[in-house]
Amino acid sequence: MNWRENPQRVAWLVLTVSFSFCCLLAIAIPLGVRSYLLNATRPIQSYVTVTAGTVQFFPPGAEDPSAVTDRRTVVAGGRIVTDATARSLLTSFVDDSSSPLLATIQLYQDTDLRLTTARVPRFAWNDGPAQLALSLQKGRVSISTQDLSDHPVRMRLNTPHGSVTFSGGSYDISIEGDTTLVRTRAGSAQVLAANREVTANTGERVSIPAGGPPELPVPAALNLVLNGKLEGRLSPLWQEVIRVGAGLAPGKITQEMVDQRSVVRFSRKTEDGAHNEAGLKQEINRDVQGYDLLTLRLEFKLRYQSVPGGGYLASEYPVMVDIGYTDIYGKDLHWYQGFYYLDLPKESTWAPPTGEKVVQEIWYAYESPNLFYLLGETRPARINTITVFASGHDYESLVADIALNVR
């Protein structure tokens, strides 16, 4: 048909097509905008911070590593490797390090970890989760995550033997030979391998053997500490310990909620330069003969210390643990562990710190070596007490979870 012969018909055809296209745009554009607002994401800001030794970092696509001795940004695809002398923290924030913390991943020695995905909803209309994905090739990591007020956190970790999916909580995942071990300290983890999924709830562990499905959950260990999560009424299980000179202001011990967890805060800011201690003590009184594993586990955050290092005698730290025990020969002894973030000045003549250095203002999950082996010939036969306290002049520290595990 020649349009010149029937221009009216052509005009109606053009009008119909234009109107249909206009209607399509009127529907598609709002739907497209709505879909973008509901589903758009942006990168999560992540940083690796060295806590001991020198850490190797592989940027995405790089074959050669760069050495990290302090802190640097990590983007999706980045790989972190620690050797036998190095440890580090991988922290993920909504925006920068002053924004809400989503996750803390602690890398122990001889660990190889890749950050594969790190995204958070871009707009408030998107109520989906913040998503983190990791790949652990060897070694061990401790992971703490916390949901935001407007977004949950969903994390997935893959190992050569299977995958683990979890949300807010605290978890420990390690590769030991041909097996992946998953321990849930708080929360719930879904463990998937060989088309079988099992759930590890608080206080349980699951093993994934190479090439096989995950085994059924079993108790992770026996915690000798009662109310180690410091929830509800502390007394009479926990007793306050205050040591300070006569007439001087003592340190304060307060129980509160911080970062969605029940914590105890030790604090003192008087600037009087007086030595003092403030903490909590629990009577354990448990025989530990017959066990082959004894470990201390502690979650804490250091906010302030006025005395650098461990003080003049390397005996003052913003968080300290004192385990009183009777050894196999019947002698009453003590084992101490301190933590600090503030280094001694280079020109200092004070004793070098014997405690463990950590990062300020970051939740840190410490787990001791097996104390039976560490203490050797003076290994414990009976645990008498455990005291968690702050020691120094002025300080502020938070303690959230205390465990003395035997197995």
Side-chain angles (χ1 to χ4, degrees):
M1 180 190 71
N2 192 333
W3 66 271
R4 295 179 183 275
E5 298 177 356
N6 196 347
Q8 291 181 337
R9 186 174 181 181
V10 173
W12 277 108
L13 179 62
V14 171
L15 286 174
T16 300
V17 171
S18 299
F19 178 73
S20 299
F21 188 66
C22 181
C23 291
L24 179 63
L25 290 178
I27 296 173
I29 291 177
L31 288 178
V33 172
R34 180 178 182 274
S35 177
Y36 178 74
L37 293 176
L38 293 179
N39 297 288
T41 61
R42 56 185 173 83
I44 290 171
Q45 298 299 310
S46 299
Y47 306 89
V48 58
T49 304
V50 177
T51 57
T54 300
V55 173
Q56 292 183 318
F57 176 71
F58 294 78
E63 295 183 359
D64 297 321
S66 58
V68 182
T69 58
D70 186 17
R71 186 184 191 221
R72 68 167 295 165
T73 301
V74 178
V75 298
R79 178 181 164 213
I80 306 164
V81 179
T82 62
D83 60 20
T85 62
R87 297 191 309 273
S88 65
L89 286 176
L90 177 63
T91 50
S92 296
F93 300 85
V94 174
D95 291 307
D96 54 28
S97 57
S98 63
S99 64
L101 177 66
L102 294 172
T104 300
I105 299 98
Q106 183 175 331
L107 286 75
Y108 293 87
Q109 294 90 339
D110 291 318
T111 295
D112 186 338
L113 181 74
R114 185 186 298 274
L115 177 66
T116 56
T117 302
R119 309 288 297 184
V120 68
R122 181 177 293 274
F123 302 108
W125 293 279
N126 184 347
D127 58 359
Q131 297 184 357
L132 288 162
L134 306 165
S135 177
L136 179 66
Q137 292 304 306
K138 70 172 184 176
R140 175 187 169 198
V141 293
S142 288
I143 300 173
S144 295
T145 65
Q146 56 186 42
D147 293 333
L148 303 177
S149 58
D150 51 351
H151 297 291
V153 176
R154 294 290 179 268
M155 182 177 288
R156 186 183 74 255
L157 184 142
N158 294 322
T159 78
H161 312 118
S163 65
V164 187
T165 305
F166 43 86
S167 55
S170 183
Y171 311 87
D172 190 282
I173 301 169
S174 61
I175 297 175
E176 300 183 11
D178 293 332
T179 303
T180 294
L181 297 180
V182 180
R183 289 190 296 168
T184 301
R185 299 191 302 274
S188 178
Q190 287 70 51
V191 183
L192 176 65
N195 296 319
R196 179 183 180 186
E197 181 177 280
V198 300
T199 299
N201 294 312
T202 299
E204 295 181 334
R205 62 183 171 91
V206 169
S207 300
I208 313 174
E215 298 176 355
L216 293 177
V218 296
L222 171 63
N223 185 4
L224 302 180
V225 177
L226 300 178
N227 191 16
K229 294 189 178 297
L230 305 173
E231 298 172 334
R233 182 180 175 86
L234 298 180
S235 177
L237 292 175
W238 291 101
Q239 298 296 318
E240 292 188 356
V241 175
I242 300 290
R243 300 186 180 97
V244 67
L248 298 174
K252 296 181 180 179
I253 304 171
T254 56
Q255 185 183 18
E256 50 197 88
M257 293 295 296
V258 176
D259 296 335
Q260 303 178 17
R261 63 179 81 187
S262 180
V263 308
V264 168
R265 183 193 305 269
F266 306 136
S267 61
R268 187 178 191 266
K269 292 188 178 180
T270 61
E271 299 183 356
D272 59 5
H275 172 78
N276 70 99
E277 297 175 3
L280 297 174
K281 180 178 181 179
Q282 183 173 134
E283 300 285 340
I284 303 294
N285 297 322
R286 293 288 296 270
D287 190 309
V288 292
Q289 296 181 93
Y291 294 104
D292 57 13
L293 177 72
L294 172 65
T295 59
L296 167 71
R297 180 162 189 93
L298 184 72
E299 293 191 15
F300 62 91
K301 178 189 288 189
L302 304 186
R303 286 188 164 172
Y304 177 73
Q305 66 177 111
S306 63
V307 177
Y312 180 69
L313 298 175
S315 60
E316 297 176 296
Y317 299 94
V319 167
M320 291 189 69
V321 180
D322 169 13
I323 297 177
Y325 69 96
T326 302
D327 73 3
I328 56 178
Y329 302 107
K331 186 176 180 179
D332 289 338
L333 299 172
H334 290 264
W335 178 78
Y336 297 93
Q337 177 65 50
F339 305 93
Y340 71 100
Y341 70 85
L342 184 62
D343 286 322
L344 291 175
K346 292 184 178 180
E347 66 278 5
S348 175
T349 59
W350 290 5
T354 56
E356 183 166 323
K357 184 180 178 182
V358 301
V359 180
Q360 184 186 16
E361 285 290 354
I362 293 293
W363 280 108
Y364 189 79
Y366 169 80
E367 184 165 342
S368 73
N370 186 344
L371 297 182
F372 288 140
Y373 295 137
L374 182 67
L375 298 174
E377 294 183 356
T378 60
R379 61 176 284 164
R382 182 179 184 84
I383 303 297
N384 301 319
T385 62
I386 182 170
T387 307
V388 181
F389 62 105
S391 176
H393 296 171
D394 290 349
Y395 44 77
E396 182 179 4
S397 52
L398 308 177
V399 176
D401 197 351
I402 306 165
L404 195 56
N405 294 319
V406 290
R407 190 173 66 234

